Amino acid sequence: MAQLWGGRFTKDTDQLVYNFNASISFDQKFYKQDIEGSIAHVTMLGRQGILTGEEMNEIIRTLKEIRADVDAGKLPITEEYEDIHSFVEANLIDRLGDTGKKLHTGRSRNDQVALDMRLYTRQEVLDTDALLKNLLKELLVIMEENTETIMPGFTHLQKAQPVTLAHHVGAYFEMFKRDRGRLHDIYERMNYCPLGAGALAGTTYPLDRELTAELLGFYGPTLNSMDSVSDRDYLIEFLSALATVMMHLSRFCEEIIIWNSNEYQFVEIDDAYSTGSSIMPQKKNPDIAELVRGKTGRVYGALNAILTTMKGLPLAYNKDMQEDKELTFDAIDTVKGCLALFCGMISTMKFNRKIMKKSANNGFTNATDAADYLVNHGVPFRDAHGIVGRIVLYCIEKDMAIDDMSLEELKAISPVFEEDIYDAISMETCVNKRLTIGAPGKEAMERVIALEKDYLENN
Ligand code: ARG
């Protein structure tokens, strides 16, 4: 049991207490950030004359050696240390003796861990953003290829009006684009350096906090030392953004599961992204989509857990906050894994265009357009709505589509109908006359695709 704080104690920690308290099993995940932070701290101590130039150089050189040894697997991070901070410091002292003992001058594990976690998370915000960008690129390919792929649009999971696959996928493009925006906002707000806050009240050493902030790529130092060591808002914001990503993914997954079902057959998930059944030989299951949908609960759980952990905590640091790590790491790894797999699944998925079109044809998705036709010929909308309602009833009885009715049949219900009704309610017309920006018409969609391309090039 290697501890940094034995001086004041007369008894060893109970083994169970030690195990319960220790964080090395998970905070080793940011050993690189811990060392990076220490290098910046020591560089600053040297420049401020708090350490000699020689001490500074020796410590930095040895910290780099430790990092290289851990990277190469030559120095295993073992559970005999309480946390990653103790591990690094103990190894430094092993290698450097008394000089190593100067590393922690003007620093506390409270500002150290606040820094490490922020450095780690900051990179993860960028990595998640890169995965989202890949997904958007994939979605844009599907959109470009499917501006004429007609499918039913749904409300209440009932066929409503025809749209195109480009338009449907474009809805998700917007969602994931907003997710990226959220990550960007979080980055801007979190990118301030807590190092130098000490345990809670700063230190009496003449630390240069601007310098360490700059060395570590932050916009500047945080402005209140008590807040610096007890702020976990940025994690809550990040987990909230991740939960929203998962919410979007789970909705898309749900649709893919429906589309891939025997009844719909709008899509076929590639063999490489499906699994079989141990008993039913015919089965090809959309497990990946289901698992992504399922893992959403886990990420929501992390957000709830950290909100609950932080609730009512008095200032400043409390050990409760150690709980932030496993939750955050798990949520990040989950979301990154889901994004990568989801991207692979949709890029290999086949779209059954004929079946989509047929489904749009068979679901009275042009009923609104039939009513609009009557309105354009002078019938008030409410009356037109009633007439088309009767037409739909007639078709259901005869098991036919509106387009299949003869002009005589149509005229029997309303004399306003003429031969041009068929063109007016064809799926192509229904979609392509919807040309306001954001609507599914091909030209409107092409304008949006150009905007999205531009967005991807510049963001
Ligand atoms: N493992 C601790 C954490 O994750 C590091 C900070 C420890 N500070 C302390 N005062 N015990 O929060």
Side-chain angles (χ1 to χ4, degrees):
M1 296 202 263
Q3 281 162 337
L4 301 170
W5 38 263
R8 180 225 188 278
F9 286 76
T10 52
K11 269 196 202 170
D12 278 347
T13 322
D14 180 272
Q15 185 64 46
L16 282 178
V17 172
Y18 181 84
N19 296 346
F20 189 66
N21 196 45
S23 53
I24 187 95
S25 64
F26 48 87
D27 63 18
Q28 57 180 279
K29 198 156 174 121
F30 50 54
Y31 75 90
K32 281 193 168 80
Q33 288 78 7
D34 192 76
I35 292 174
E36 188 192 352
S38 289
I39 291 174
H41 181 63
V42 167
T43 305
M44 181 274 296
L45 293 179
R47 292 216 203 153
Q48 294 298 95
I50 302 167
L51 295 185
T52 66
E54 199 181 327
E55 287 167 335
M56 172 185 84
N57 288 333
E58 264 187 276
I59 296 177
I60 292 174
R61 180 178 43 75
T62 313
L63 284 170
K64 287 183 178 168
E65 280 168 16
I66 292 173
R67 182 168 60 193
D69 287 351
V70 176
D71 285 345
K74 281 196 247 164
L75 178 61
I77 301 175
T78 58
E79 307 258 325
E80 77 188 273
Y81 302 93
E82 179 187 341
D83 53 31
I84 192 62
H85 325 297
S86 320
F87 166 84
V88 173
E89 191 174 326
N91 276 281
L92 186 72
I93 294 169
D94 265 2
R95 293 180 186 202
L96 269 187
D98 282 349
T99 305
K101 293 180 183 165
K102 298 190 175 183
L103 166 69
H104 210 51
T105 313
R107 192 175 67 170
S108 155
R109 276 185 299 167
N110 296 352
D111 60 345
Q112 189 177 359
V113 78
L115 171 69
D116 293 1
M117 193 62 183
R118 215 173 267 238
L119 285 172
Y120 183 88
T121 317
R122 186 177 69 177
Q123 186 56 44
E124 293 298 325
V125 169
L126 297 178
D127 291 356
T128 310
D129 182 63
L131 285 164
L132 279 167
K133 184 168 184 178
N134 275 346
L135 175 57
L136 287 180
K137 284 186 190 158
E138 213 48 71
L139 296 182
L140 195 64
V141 171
I142 300 176
M143 287 161 69
E144 285 181 301
E145 288 171 355
N146 290 286
T147 54
E148 294 179 43
T149 306
I150 289 172
M151 65 179 286
F154 298 84
T155 63
H156 314 270
L157 205 52
Q158 308 270 333
K159 291 180 196 175
Q161 290 174 340
V163 295
T164 62
L165 180 59
H167 191 243
H168 196 121
V169 169
Y172 286 102
F173 192 100
E174 290 302 308
M175 296 179 222
F176 293 121
K177 193 165 83 175
R178 287 195 296 274
D179 287 336
R180 291 191 70 203
R182 269 182 277 277
L183 293 180
H184 179 84
D185 296 346
I186 292 165
Y187 188 99
E188 291 300 303
R189 233 182 334 273
M190 74 179 280
N191 196 28
Y192 292 87
C193 186
L195 188 61
L200 77 162
T203 81
T204 53
Y205 298 96
L207 304 185
D208 183 348
R209 294 194 59 213
E210 273 80 14
L211 175 62
T212 39
E214 191 192 318
L215 290 173
L216 293 165
F218 288 103
Y219 297 145
T222 50
L223 296 185
N224 181 292
S225 59
M226 288 175 78
D227 176 52
S228 308
V229 292
S230 52
D231 165 31
R232 298 293 182 274
D233 295 6
Y234 70 100
L235 295 178
I236 292 172
E237 285 192 56
F238 188 29
L239 288 174
S240 165
L242 292 179
T244 308
V245 170
M246 290 305 291
M247 182 269 290
H248 290 149
L249 280 178
S250 76
R251 295 181 73 175
F252 209 162
C253 282
E254 170 71 6
E255 297 207 297
I256 289 170
I257 292 163
I258 294 172
W259 293 352
N260 187 64
S261 68
N262 303 135
E263 283 69 25
Y264 275 75
Q265 298 180 20
F266 283 7
V267 300
E268 192 185 335
I269 299 177
D270 195 71
D271 277 4
Y273 285 88
S274 313
T275 51
S277 156
S278 62
I279 173 169
M280 297 166 283
Q282 84 282 12
K283 290 279 256 176
K284 192 175 136 186
N285 296 326
D287 288 33
I288 298 308
E290 291 172 44
L291 257 181
V292 172
R293 186 179 61 183
K295 283 180 189 289
T296 304
R298 181 164 165 168
V299 178
Y300 286 8
L303 172 61
N304 263 307
I306 191 158
L307 279 167
T308 313
T309 295
M310 293 305 293
K311 176 182 179 295
L313 284 188
L315 292 179
Y317 178 84
N318 300 272
K319 193 66 176 237
D320 314 45
M321 292 172 187
Q322 178 167 290
E323 283 293 304
D324 63 358
K325 294 176 194 62
E326 287 162 289
L327 296 171
T328 306
F329 295 155
D330 183 71
I332 292 171
D333 292 346
T334 301
V335 174
K336 280 166 53 184
C338 288
L339 279 170
L341 274 163
F342 184 85
C343 209
M345 179 177 71
I346 58 160
S347 63
T348 51
M349 197 163 75
K350 277 202 209 65
F351 297 100
N352 295 329
R353 297 186 171 80
K354 274 198 191 129
I355 294 182
M356 287 181 169
K357 171 88 189 289
K358 203 166 142 211
S359 170
N361 275 327
N362 291 343
F364 303 109
T365 57
N366 50 3
T368 316
D369 293 79
D372 288 345
Y373 173 93
L374 293 172
V375 170
N376 288 331
H377 290 75
V379 181
F381 181 76
R382 198 44 63 209
D383 294 339
H385 189 284
I387 293 168
V388 178
R390 288 201 295 283
I391 290 178
V392 168
L393 259 185
Y394 180 87
C395 288
I396 291 172
E397 204 147 278
K398 298 254 181 278
D399 192 20
M400 61 184 353
I402 305 178
D403 321 51
D404 299 333
M405 289 172 73
S406 68
L407 193 54
E408 288 66 46
E409 284 174 301
L410 285 166
K411 275 184 174 298
I413 299 177
S414 168
V416 179
F417 287 116
E418 295 298 341
E419 194 58 41
D420 60 351
I421 177 64
Y422 296 106
D423 187 46
I425 62 168
S426 80
M427 288 297 130
E428 285 73 13
T429 312
C430 292
V431 167
N432 289 327
K433 271 172 69 179
R434 290 182 153 75
L435 286 175
T436 50
I437 193 81
K442 186 167 157 47
E443 282 164 36
M445 204 59 230
E446 276 165 357
R447 271 189 288 157
V448 168
I449 287 173
L451 291 172
E452 308 292 30
K453 257 194 178 154
D454 212 50
Y455 156 80
L456 279 180
E457 265 160 37
N458 295 305
N459 289 280

